[in-house]
Amino acid sequence: MTDLRLDDRLAIQALNDEFGHRLDHGDLDGFVDLFTEDVRYANGARQLNGQKEMRAFFAARAAGDRVSRHLYSGLRIAFEGVDRASGTSVWLTFAGSGPLPIRPADPFAVADVSDRYFRTPDRGWRIAVRQIAPVMLSDTVPELPSRSSS
């Protein structure tokens, strides 16, 4: 019988759940904590290296009136050892600026996401590498350089 590693799968799923929730609800410290110290985060041409760069970018992003909601599906996980795994998923992002509710509610982006996960001794599973490859982008929501989708 194959070892399904259900506890690890649930922990990695929870990590992805928290990514969307913490980003969408402005929990910068909690959001950055989801990543390893030396994380590599790429969204299209944007490259961030390490938690310090992530914190600076996402703090600037949160300084405006941008609102986002991230949904994901199809999480696939492959274990590459006791403390290493990779995963793929598809993310749908809604984004806009202004008072709630934001109109129109058109999707902002659909992206393929590829991850590398490491289990840390003291913090459990964390995202070490996240590569976001946009598949579909909307021109209905303007993308500003300092506050683009993620």
Side-chain angles (χ1 to χ4, degrees), residues 66-71 90-96 102-111 135-143 149:
R66 184 173 189 271
V67 175
S68 67
R69 292 297 182 265
H70 291 78
L71 311 167
V90 176
W91 286 75
L92 171 65
T93 303
F94 291 85
I102 294 175
R103 291 196 169 103
D106 297 327
F108 179 65
V110 176
V135 176
M136 299 170 201
L137 294 172
S138 170
D139 3 319
T140 61
V141 180
E143 185 173 347
S149 78

Side-chain angles (χ1 to χ4, degrees), residues 46 57 59-67 95-97 108 141-150:
R46 180 187 334 116
F57 175 82
R61 178 185 180 267
D65 63 351
R66 184 173 189 271
V67 175
S97 297
F108 179 65
V141 180
E143 185 173 347
L144 303 174
S146 65
R147 298 185 306 170
S148 59
S149 78
S150 51

Side-chain angles (χ1 to χ4, degrees), residues 28-149:
L28 180 61
D29 291 334
F31 176 73
V32 172
D33 186 55
L34 299 174
F35 299 90
T36 60
E37 293 289 328
D38 61 349
V39 60
R40 289 182 327 209
Y41 184 96
N43 185 349
R46 180 187 334 116
Q47 305 283 323
L48 302 173
N49 295 297
Q51 284 187 353
K52 184 176 180 180
E53 284 186 18
M54 290 209 43
R55 180 176 301 283
F57 175 82
F58 285 100
R61 178 185 180 267
D65 63 351
R66 184 173 189 271
V67 175
S68 67
R69 292 297 182 265
H70 291 78
L71 311 167
Y72 78 98
S73 182
L75 178 62
R76 299 182 66 169
I77 301 167
F79 291 98
E80 301 163 352
V82 175
D83 296 324
R84 295 175 183 252
S86 60
T88 59
S89 54
V90 176
W91 286 75
L92 171 65
T93 303
F94 291 85
S97 297
L100 300 180
I102 294 175
R103 291 196 169 103
D106 297 327
F108 179 65
V110 176
D112 290 334
V113 173
S114 298
D115 291 322
R116 308 252 327 143
Y117 307 104
F118 292 160
R119 183 186 357 230
T120 64
D122 53 338
R123 296 171 38 229
W125 288 100
R126 292 293 180 262
I127 301 168
V129 177
R130 174 155 281 195
Q131 295 179 299
I132 302 169
V135 176
M136 299 170 201
L137 294 172
S138 170
D139 3 319
T140 61
V141 180
E143 185 173 347
L144 303 174
S146 65
R147 298 185 306 170
S148 59
S149 78

